[in-house]
Structure formats: structure tokens, C-alpha cells
Amino acid sequence: MKYYWFIFCKTDLLLEKVGNNYTIPLSEEPPIALRPWTHVMNIGPTEDGTEVKAFMIDSPVTDNPNYEMCGLRPSFYLLSTELYLKAGKCHELLYWDQNTKFCGVCGAPMKMHTDISKRCTNCAKEVWPQLATAIIVLVHKGDEVLLVHARNFKSDFFGLVAGFVETGETLEEAVHREVAEETGIKIKNLRYFGSQPWPYPCGLMVGFNADYDGGDLQLQQSEISKGAWFTKENLPNIPERLSIARMILDDWINQTSI
């Protein structure tokens, strides 16, 4: 049986070159030798039923012309959508595995119980992968939308208001709170757009549209460096295509005005 082998060195993924294209290694045996301590994880199969395995390596593969290391984010532009999403899932599970070696209750070693759970070898405490859920929202005011530049952005693009959901909070409450905290305005007519796994390292982005309902922009200086209303004709640099922020913006841009 052949397996897809998703092999990571930190956040870099091993890709196989096939002509001018890239894919994930597909073979009966792993394309590189396993170490005695390597933990190979079983991941759910692809849509065509091909089984998937994943593991971490200590150093990048640089001595084989058939393979190339690539960051998980840029792999979006090289792999099929299905393989990119599967790579994200593999990375999330490997990250979880690396960070749950020992029990948080008694400190004893943890052991895999199922493909997505571990059990403590001493006190039987069970753990599963944890998601950090965040909301992201495009606020509309007539033919304008609100875009912001967060201080943690690594380039000059403008994105959408976003933030993590707090304990005991609904998604809707989180949207209203984040918009109020970061921009000082009120919103209404909240509409669900969609969701996206965000494996950097273990997030789930939940997207919304909303309408402006009052207030002046008062940016949260500790979080937001710039923010303004933009029309389709004067957009700044916007997020790249792999993000749900761009998906929401593209959906708005492609809508025909009535």
C-alpha cells in the first residue's frame, strides 16, 4: 500500500518535484530513513482513500534533488487545495504531539490512545488536540468596508477586524466585542460567511459580514496601527489568497452593485 508522507522540519514541509510541479511524496516506505525515536502519526485518508502518515524530522532535507523543503504557507501556491489542507491538518497534529509528551496533571509520559487522543500512563488523563478559535469580520458601510492594519502584521497590507473567542463567549458576542474594542464602533446584521482551518499553529477562523451601526473610529492603539473605510476603487494592499480574510473580501469585490 502506498501512503502520502507529510514530513515536517519545524514548519517546513518536504515536497517532491514532479516536472515543473510539486506534490507530497507517495510511496510504500517513507522517502527518508526513520530514526528509532520518530513518531509516525496516522492521519485520515485523502478523498480518494489514500492513507496519510506524518512525522517530524530534526534537520531539513537538502541532499536530494527530487525533494525541496517549503514553508507551509507558501505550499498553498504549489500543492492542490486538498493536499494543502491535509498538510495543515498534519502540522496541527504534529504540533499537538510535540507539546503533549507529558501529562499536565501528574507529569507522567503520555501515550497515544487513538489517532487523535492520548492517555496518561499513570493517571489515565486523556487529552485531544485543542483549537484556538478566532472570529474575523468585514464591516460594511454603504459602498465602503472597514479595513485595518494590525501591529502584528509582517507587511503593509490591510486586513479585517479579528480576534480570539474568549471562554464562555458565543461567536456572535466575540464579533461585537472585538469590533468595539479594536475600532470603537457598533455593528448590526451579523451574517455568517464560512470557516477555515488556520494551522499556524492550531487555529480555526470563523468569518462574518456585518453592517455599521454607529460610532466614530477610535482605534485600539495597542493592537491596531491604521484603519479606515475603503471602496472597491481605492483598496490598499489586502491579504493573500490563502486566507479567509481574502475570501471574504473577494466575495464582496465580486458582488455586482444594484
Side-chain angles (χ1 to χ4, degrees):
M1 177 186 294
K2 290 186 176 182
Y3 303 92
Y4 275 119
W5 296 94
F6 287 80
I7 303 168
F8 283 88
C9 179
K10 297 181 179 179
T11 59
D12 286 345
L13 173 65
L14 182 72
L15 300 183
E16 181 177 0
K17 298 179 183 178
V18 182
N20 294 324
N21 299 313
Y22 291 85
T23 188
I24 298 299
L26 177 65
S27 58
E28 294 183 2
E29 299 295 329
I32 60 176
L34 298 177
R35 301 292 182 89
W37 56 84
T38 301
H39 179 206
V40 179
M41 300 193 72
N42 295 312
I43 314 295
T46 57
E47 291 180 0
D48 66 3
T50 304
E51 294 293 333
V52 171
K53 293 182 179 291
F55 62 91
M56 299 287 290
I57 55 178
D58 297 325
S59 57
V61 175
T62 58
D63 58 354
N64 190 323
N66 296 319
Y67 300 110
E68 183 175 312
M69 303 302 299
C70 177
L72 180 56
R73 285 183 189 238
S75 75
F76 170 84
Y77 300 99
L78 300 175
L79 296 173
S80 68
T81 299
E82 182 185 10
L83 289 179
Y84 165 74
L85 291 173
K86 187 64 72 174
K89 180 172 183 176
C90 290
H91 183 261
E92 289 196 49
L93 288 171
L94 290 169
Y95 175 84
W96 167 73
D97 180 47
Q98 291 288 309
N99 287 276
T100 53
K101 297 294 186 184
F102 299 96
C103 179
V105 176
C106 70
M110 300 294 288
K111 184 178 180 180
M112 293 299 296
H113 180 56
T114 70
D115 286 344
I116 56 168
S117 69
K118 290 185 178 184
R119 178 177 288 174
C120 176
T121 55
N122 178 56
C123 71
K125 168 73 175 178
E126 292 190 49
V127 296
W128 290 264
Q130 301 294 304
L131 285 176
T133 304
I135 57 83
I136 185 165
V137 58
L138 182 63
V139 181
H140 302 253
K141 185 173 72 169
D143 63 351
E144 297 178 313
V145 294
L146 176 61
L147 300 178
V148 297
H149 182 274
R151 294 192 180 278
N152 63 355
F153 287 175
K154 295 182 179 179
S155 61
D156 64 352
F157 69 87
F158 279 63
L160 282 56
V161 173
F164 289 106
V165 180
E166 295 182 353
T167 302
E169 190 174 49
T170 67
L171 296 173
E172 294 81 3
E173 289 170 341
V175 176
H176 284 274
R177 175 184 54 77
E178 285 289 346
V179 171
E181 287 179 355
E182 294 190 357
T183 70
I185 66 172
K186 295 181 179 180
I187 57 172
K188 62 182 179 180
N189 300 332
L190 194 60
R191 305 177 297 282
Y192 174 73
F193 175 84
S195 62
Q196 178 189 41
W198 194 245
Y200 306 104
C202 53
L204 176 67
M205 302 296 297
V206 185
F208 294 88
N209 285 282
D211 296 329
Y212 170 78
D213 192 35
D216 297 324
L217 279 182
Q218 297 180 5
L219 301 180
Q220 185 181 25
Q221 295 300 318
S222 61
E223 299 280 342
I224 307 296
S225 60
K226 301 175 185 176
W229 298 98
F230 296 90
T231 66
K232 296 177 183 179
E233 290 70 35
N234 74 333
L235 287 175
N237 290 335
I238 58 177
E240 56 184 314
R241 289 190 295 111
L242 69 86
S243 68
I244 192 171
R246 179 61 176 268
M247 297 175 196
I248 299 173
L249 278 167
D250 283 347
D251 181 70
W252 167 68
I253 291 169
N254 293 329
Q255 289 177 7
T256 302
S257 300
I258 299 176

